[in-house]
Amino acid sequence: MLRTTVGCVGVEERDEDEGEEDLRDGGVPFFVNRGGLPVDEETWEQMWRHVARTHPNGEAIGTRIRGASDLPKIPTPSVPTYQPTTSIPQRLEAIQKYIRDLQYNHTGTQFFEIKKSRPLTALMDIAKEMIRESLPIKCLEAVILGIYLTNSMPGVERFPLSFKTQFSGNQFCHIVLGVHSGGRFGALGISRRMDLMFKPLEFRTLADLVQEFEGAYKGYWHTLRKVKIGQYVSHDPHSVEQIDWKHSILDVDKLTKEEMRRELERHTRDMRMKIGKAAPTSPTKDRKSNMGSPHRNPGSPMRRNSRIERRPSGEKKVLDPKSPPDMNGYQIRV
């Protein structure tokens, strides 16, 4: 039910196929609640023991909070609603305010388990649970929530954008939800640092957006080592496709600034090309009654091996505009 994991601060994959995350918080391994909500007693007690080990005030902070009878009631944030005339930038700002009002999770226990290998429809169910429970969240949870809250905005394209940095010999990882609309880029997310989450929709290129984050990291004496950018995410909340989290992996140390910009421009073109491609969606009721097992027939294309397809910095991908969309990720959820 409860597992401690080791890795960098934020989010980083340990097993790409399983979608498990290695997580560290301030150099200390933290826990992921894998038993769902409400939190079971074992997870609850483990959370407080972890707080006692990592908080500067030790056990005293837990004793004071758990023994208090007059704790203030925490207001529940309201999901943003919009008028038809509300502009896209204003809607994104409202979504960011809602994410920020949930507050960053400092407990050392992540309340919602996010498996990156799960289909989009399952991740959207987790986003609904986040809204229902209104608990503090971390950066990966904020990305899932941001996707859910922007699904009804077809003019806004969303993509995962993650960073690996280094400071004082330790590696740190962070992820935000990149957004693109009206020819401008921005970002949604949550972080301990105000300048490492929301970015308004005002950056002309993806390179400008990445450079903005790199500059913010420099303010905390962090050196940017890698940038990982995914593909645009479907707006269909019932889609069974998986999110492409790492379509491009850029090793900053091995690229000049000009090469980095060219790679980001190439990735931007790749994302635009995906918009016109069909994505597998969940079947309708009528189709379900007429469909059998979704086994691959002899004429179907082979399933992509995502581990092989990922390309190092600078490697070009040959695109075949006539190739049919890959439907092998299609499944019927019962």
Side-chain angles (χ1 to χ4, degrees):
M1 295 299 183
L2 185 71
R3 187 181 305 167
T4 182
T5 52
V6 181
C8 26
V9 178
V11 179
E12 180 61 19
E13 295 77 13
R14 169 175 16 120
D15 187 314
E16 294 172 352
D17 292 333
E18 294 299 324
E20 299 285 353
E21 287 81 32
D22 277 348
L23 302 169
R24 261 185 190 266
D25 197 357
V28 179
F30 70 87
F31 298 92
V32 177
N33 170 34
R34 303 186 190 277
L37 295 170
V39 176
D40 59 69
E41 184 177 356
E42 179 184 356
T43 304
W44 181 251
E45 293 301 325
Q46 178 63 73
M47 182 187 76
W48 286 107
R49 287 196 297 270
H50 183 67
V51 168
R53 287 194 304 268
T54 58
H55 196 277
N57 294 333
E59 294 184 2
I61 185 69
T63 301
R64 180 173 61 83
I65 294 175
R66 301 181 75 178
S69 58
D70 58 347
L71 291 174
K73 185 176 181 180
I74 305 299
T76 300
S78 299
V79 177
T81 57
Y82 324 101
Q83 297 296 327
T85 56
T86 305
S87 66
I88 293 297
Q90 289 173 328
R91 295 184 184 207
L92 293 177
E93 288 180 8
I95 291 172
Q96 179 61 44
K97 182 181 183 302
Y98 173 76
I99 292 174
R100 189 172 60 248
D101 287 347
L102 289 176
Q103 300 185 22
Y104 188 87
N105 182 357
H106 294 277
T107 66
T109 299
Q110 181 175 305
F111 296 123
F112 303 96
E113 182 183 15
I114 307 295
K115 289 189 175 181
K116 291 183 175 180
S117 59
R118 300 190 73 185
L120 183 59
T121 180
L123 295 176
M124 295 301 93
D125 288 341
I126 296 175
K128 294 176 187 177
E129 188 177 19
M130 291 183 209
I131 293 173
R132 185 168 60 249
E133 301 294 341
S134 292
L135 292 171
I137 57 177
K138 288 184 175 290
C139 57
L140 182 57
E141 295 161 298
V143 167
I144 301 303
L145 187 56
I147 292 172
Y148 177 79
L149 294 174
T150 53
N151 275 337
S152 61
M153 301 165 62
V156 178
E157 300 296 342
R158 300 83 41 84
F159 58 94
L161 176 62
S162 59
F163 307 94
K164 179 183 285 186
T165 62
Q166 188 170 4
F167 170 73
S168 190
N170 294 318
Q171 289 185 335
F172 297 77
C173 298
H174 181 49
I175 188 168
V176 296
L177 181 66
V179 292
H180 179 253
S181 179
R184 293 292 184 268
F185 287 89
L188 299 171
I190 198 166
S191 170
R192 297 179 182 86
R193 308 295 187 179
M194 291 296 294
D195 49 358
L196 289 176
M197 44 183 179
F198 177 67
K199 299 296 179 184
L201 205 61
E202 61 182 29
F203 297 91
R204 190 176 60 84
T205 67
L206 180 56
D208 292 339
L209 178 62
V210 171
Q211 189 175 17
E212 169 67 18
F213 275 102
E214 183 176 14
Y217 272 118
K218 287 180 179 178
Y220 304 110
W221 298 280
H222 279 235
T223 302
L224 184 62
R225 297 301 187 192
K226 282 189 179 181
V227 179
K228 301 176 184 179
I229 319 127
Q231 280 277 26
Y232 284 157
V233 179
S234 170
H235 284 267
D236 179 8
H238 306 294
S239 172
V240 296
E241 70 177 335
Q242 295 178 349
I243 295 175
D244 186 345
W245 297 92
K246 297 187 294 185
H247 184 77
S248 296
I249 303 175
L250 307 182
D251 193 331
V252 179
D253 292 334
K254 297 180 181 179
L255 297 171
T256 65
K257 286 188 176 181
E258 183 57 33
E259 288 172 337
M260 183 79 168
R261 181 172 290 274
R262 284 201 301 267
E263 284 298 305
L264 292 170
E265 289 174 353
R266 188 264 310 160
H267 182 87
T268 302
R269 291 193 297 269
D270 286 352
M271 290 194 297
R272 288 172 181 165
M273 291 185 68
K274 189 196 174 187
I275 296 178
K277 293 185 178 181
T281 57
S282 58
T284 61
K285 274 187 179 178
D286 294 337
R287 289 178 61 200
K288 284 181 181 178
S289 60
N290 297 323
M291 293 182 66
S293 176
H295 292 301
R296 184 174 64 85
N297 60 51
S300 299
M302 293 296 291
R303 184 180 180 89
R304 295 188 307 171
N305 188 327
S306 59
R307 191 184 294 268
I308 295 175
E309 188 187 35
R310 295 183 185 123
R311 307 185 301 283
S313 304
E315 184 177 339
K316 301 297 181 182
K317 178 180 178 182
V318 179
L319 298 173
D320 182 4
K322 296 183 180 180
S323 60
D326 184 0
M327 297 295 288
N328 294 303
Y330 187 88
Q331 297 178 359
I332 299 177
R333 297 180 71 243
V334 179

